[in-house]
Amino acid sequence: MTKFESEIKKVSQSDEKIFKFISDFNNFESLIPQDKIKNWQSTEDTCKFSVDGIGDAGLRIVEKQASTTVKYSTDGKVPFNFFLWIQLKQVAENDTRIKLTIKADLNPMMKMMVGKHVKKFLNMLGDAIANYGGY
């Protein structure tokens, strides 16, 4: 398994509000880049979408630990299997730090091809969560 981690992001919200938001895929459509992701469909626990240049993909929530962690896994036909999790740590009132991690089952060639893109995606999603104003 190959591990990718985002930078630690600061969110000016409580861990409880962020947890509630990231525990429901219906909230994610506002975070994704509309120019890269198409055909978004979601329920609370699953989502399906198309990624330009990659194809169809899906995710499902596989574990929730109140106000600390949400874990996601691939769902359906995807180019490679991976787990994504978002960790939350509240350090003060309305000051929560988040870190996103992906563990992916990649062969060395795939790692070279997608590694930079995965890291960029993690930081982009982390920034989107940190800067989202609708909590």
Side-chain angles (χ1 to χ4, degrees):
M1 285 285 212
T2 304
K3 184 176 178 179
F4 302 94
E5 295 180 327
S6 73
E7 300 162 0
I8 295 173
K9 307 291 182 178
K10 178 182 177 179
V11 187
S12 299
Q13 293 291 336
S14 70
D15 56 0
E16 188 178 309
K17 284 184 179 178
I18 300 165
F19 178 80
K20 185 176 179 184
F21 182 82
I22 65 172
S23 295
D24 184 347
F25 276 120
N26 292 318
N27 296 324
F28 276 56
E29 189 170 13
S30 60
L31 301 177
I32 60 172
Q34 302 296 322
D35 59 327
K36 302 204 185 317
I37 296 188
K38 308 279 187 232
N39 304 322
W40 178 266
Q41 299 173 1
S42 62
T43 67
E44 184 175 334
D45 294 324
T46 64
C47 68
K48 293 182 181 183
F49 51 92
S50 298
V51 181
D52 285 350
I54 295 175
D56 294 337
L59 292 171
R60 63 185 160 84
I61 295 174
V62 293
E63 187 179 335
K64 298 178 191 180
Q65 294 176 0
S67 298
T68 62
T69 310
V70 179
K71 292 184 181 180
Y72 313 86
S73 180
T74 53
D75 190 29
K77 184 181 166 195
V78 291
F80 55 90
N81 290 323
F82 66 89
F83 292 94
L84 162 67
W85 63 97
I86 302 175
Q87 296 166 287
L88 309 171
K89 181 171 178 69
Q90 187 164 321
V91 295
E93 186 177 344
N94 292 322
D95 183 356
T96 302
R97 306 303 158 97
I98 64 170
K99 183 169 88 171
L100 292 78
T101 305
I102 285 182
K103 280 193 177 177
D105 190 9
L106 300 174
N107 63 42
M109 181 66 113
M110 281 292 279
K111 183 178 177 181
M112 282 178 36
M113 289 173 45
V114 303
K116 184 171 71 172
H117 299 292
V118 171
K119 182 85 168 162
K120 185 177 177 182
F121 165 75
L122 285 174
N123 283 313
M124 182 269 317
L125 183 58
D127 286 338
I129 294 168
N131 297 320
Y132 180 69
Y135 288 105

